[in-house]
Amino acid sequence: VEPSPAIAMREFTLVVRGTGMDALHPIKVLLEGCPELTFAGGTDTARTYLCTPQSAGRKSGYVEDASTGRRMFTFVIDVQPPPAPKPTGYSPSTATVGKTTVFTFVGTDLSPSMFIELPNCPMMRPLPGGSLTEQKYSCTPTRVGTVKGSIYAKYSGSPNSLGTPIGTFTVTINGD
């Protein structure tokens, strides 16, 4: 079974290698904490599955013969919490009152669950299609001024419990 025994808590590929894994000998793979273990293809010597763990910790799994229910072998994977986002840059540094602005944040391990706070630009929301190295957010500025924004690792449902910002940025908001 691949990957190595320690993985981050995000989607990963699990590869099961062996012989005789053809249509006449189907296998079933189960991994604790991965209710959506999805078959992604394979051959008679390797099967690939995709999974996004629900929580961190040591997870047990097993491979069984799907036709007989006989366990062929067991394995353990240590699921680590996802790394903290590390924003390293952003653009643009200017915006205009009343015009929706798309802000692009770059860095490593970025997530659409980051919470971006920018005074005078309420309702900052993530846009679809981001990646671990780039996330886009949009808002419409309401007042002129140079404001300092804050980036938080994750929105926990309450502005009072955002914790310490993982980054800051400055935007000059101009009039029409």
Side-chain angles (χ1 to χ4, degrees), residues 4 17 31 38 44 52 58 63 65 67 87 93 117 130 154:
S4 63
R17 295 189 188 282
L31 178 62
T38 306
D44 63 351
T52 303
R58 180 160 276 206
V63 178
D65 182 315
S67 58
S93 58
E117 183 177 59
K154 187 173 184 180

Side-chain angles (χ1 to χ4, degrees), residues 1 4 29 38 46 52 73 75 78 90 98-99 128 147 149 155 160-161 165:
V1 174
S4 63
V29 180
T38 306
T52 303
F73 63 90
F75 59 93
D78 289 317
Y90 70 97
K99 295 188 179 178
V147 292
Y155 183 63
N160 296 328
S161 62

Side-chain angles (χ1 to χ4, degrees), residues 1-3 7-16 29-40 47-57 59-61 75 77-80:
V1 174
E2 300 169 9
I7 57 166
M9 205 171 91
R10 59 169 67 125
E11 183 177 81
F12 71 93
T13 302
L14 178 71
V15 179
V16 177
V29 180
L30 295 168
L31 178 62
E32 174 188 3
C34 261
E36 299 293 325
L37 193 61
T38 306
F39 178 67
R47 296 280 173 94
T48 302
Y49 298 84
L50 300 176
C51 170
T52 303
Q54 303 294 311
S55 62
K59 307 297 178 187
S60 299
F75 59 93
I77 294 177
D78 289 317
V79 177
Q80 307 297 321

